[in-house]
Amino acid sequence: MKGLSIRLPKIKKTRWQGMMTLICVVLVLTATIYAFFYLRHDPTLTNLDGRLQEMSLQHPLGTDQLGRDVLTRLLLGGQQTIGYSLLALIVALIIGIPIGLIAGYKRGLVDRVFMRIADGFLAFPDTIVAIVLSGLLGPGISNLVFAIVMVKWVSYARLVRSTILSESQKDYVLIARTNGLSSSKIMRKHLFPHIVGHVLVLASLDLGKIILLISAFSYIGLGAQPPIPEWGAMLNDSRPYFQSRPELMIYPGLAIVVVVLLTNMLGDYLRDHFDVKKEVRQ
């Protein structure tokens, strides 16, 4: 009875935290999508006569150093940062999951070729590879997304491969082979459901890392280019005015912190929900 009284609050708290996290994520996504309908101001139109204004009814968060509405640029910056982060993550999943499935199930030469390619990417830190690729391709948000995809698909391929290697030796897969099911049907119907939980957990944790990467690269000039509003670029543009108008850096910085924190909390909740081992973080 004592053990029961200890476990119940823990489960209840975990579910409550998960629901609150999901609600906050939905609110953030709704706010960024709502920017399309909020656009009372052109986010790229400069107005030097109205630069660095304080909060007002016309400009709820004031204006920046070029007289542009900060709230409009903050919401559109969320579309850029979160949108391109999701794009990079989805493309990495589309590339990594099939490679991991095929390599883990087929093994042999296919497995060795794919895994040696993956090992080549893993020989260097993700950030270094992304910087090199972005430098070679040139500054730009599309080139940055490509660079991130090239370093992120590896983790999903290796995760899926390791899961398939263990699952493909179990009795239900052997029975499916004996019954004459094709390899594609076995992978699709019997093996794919076993990787969904692992992939969702890793993807939710990776989303925060990708958001940080896009923001950091835009901050140093390798991501979004002016006048496109993006949180990292907004941080860089506001540096000279940190002493006089610190809120110009606080707003995008706080947005990055909140979104990354929410994605990490969502990943922790999904990990507990799917009962995925903590090694998925690595």
Side-chain angles (χ1 to χ4, degrees):
M1 194 71 184
K2 185 177 179 181
L4 183 62
S5 63
I6 294 174
R7 289 180 182 176
L8 283 178
K10 185 175 181 181
I11 295 174
K12 197 172 183 181
K13 183 179 179 183
T14 302
R15 289 178 179 174
W16 179 82
Q17 288 176 341
M19 290 301 298
M20 290 300 297
T21 302
L22 286 173
I23 291 172
C24 291
V25 169
V26 171
L27 289 176
V28 170
L29 293 176
T30 303
T32 56
I33 295 172
Y34 176 70
F36 282 114
F37 307 97
Y38 171 79
L39 285 179
R40 294 183 297 175
H41 305 279
D42 188 338
T44 61
L45 182 63
T46 61
N47 179 19
L48 297 181
D49 293 332
R51 63 194 299 268
L52 300 176
Q53 291 183 3
E54 300 289 341
M55 294 181 181
S56 63
L57 291 177
Q58 186 177 5
H59 303 287
L61 295 183
T63 60
D64 63 5
Q65 68 278 6
L66 294 177
R68 299 170 298 191
D69 183 67
V70 174
L71 179 58
T72 301
R73 289 181 62 80
L74 191 67
L75 292 174
L76 288 177
Q79 290 182 5
Q80 295 289 322
T81 306
I82 299 175
Y84 281 108
S85 298
L86 286 171
L87 176 62
L89 180 63
I90 291 171
V91 176
L93 289 172
I94 292 174
I95 296 174
I97 290 176
I99 289 177
L101 273 171
I102 296 171
Y105 186 77
K106 294 293 187 180
R107 303 187 183 185
L109 179 62
V110 175
D111 183 27
R112 290 195 295 272
V113 170
F114 281 137
M115 288 306 103
R116 295 301 76 78
I117 296 174
D119 290 341
F121 281 97
L122 291 175
F124 304 95
D126 290 356
T127 306
I128 300 300
V129 176
I131 289 175
V132 172
L133 290 176
S134 297
L136 292 174
L137 296 172
I141 193 68
S142 57
N143 292 338
L144 177 57
V145 169
F146 176 80
I148 292 174
V149 169
M150 288 297 99
V151 299
K152 285 299 179 183
W153 71 268
V154 178
S155 56
Y156 296 100
R158 293 185 68 87
L159 174 65
V160 171
R161 173 184 175 272
S162 62
T163 305
I164 297 302
L165 284 175
S166 60
E167 290 293 330
S168 61
Q169 299 303 311
K170 294 185 177 180
D171 292 340
Y172 70 92
V173 176
L174 298 177
I175 292 172
R177 289 175 180 169
T178 304
N179 290 334
L181 266 69
S182 63
S183 298
S184 60
K185 187 171 289 187
I186 292 175
M187 287 189 286
R188 186 175 67 253
K189 288 190 173 183
H190 296 284
L191 295 177
F192 182 76
H194 290 276
I195 67 172
V196 172
H198 295 78
V199 169
L200 283 178
V201 173
L202 181 59
S204 60
L205 295 171
D206 251 355
L207 180 59
K209 298 177 183 178
I210 295 174
I211 289 173
L212 287 176
L213 274 176
I214 288 182
S215 300
F217 277 56
S218 296
Y219 180 81
I220 63 176
L222 291 176
Q225 300 299 302
I228 297 174
E230 194 278 332
W231 288 342
M234 291 174 67
L235 281 172
N236 185 42
D237 293 340
S238 305
R239 279 187 307 148
Y241 307 92
F242 181 70
Q243 298 293 332
S244 58
R245 292 292 303 278
E247 63 271 20
L248 292 180
M249 290 192 72
I250 291 174
Y251 293 143
L254 187 60
I256 295 171
V257 170
V258 169
V259 172
V260 172
L261 181 62
L262 287 175
T263 57
N264 286 336
M265 291 173 62
L266 181 61
D268 290 337
Y269 170 70
L270 291 175
R271 186 191 62 204
D272 295 335
H273 178 74
F274 288 106
D275 194 23
V276 176
K277 295 180 180 181
K278 292 185 179 181
E279 283 77 1
V280 76
R281 279 182 174 272
Q282 301 175 354

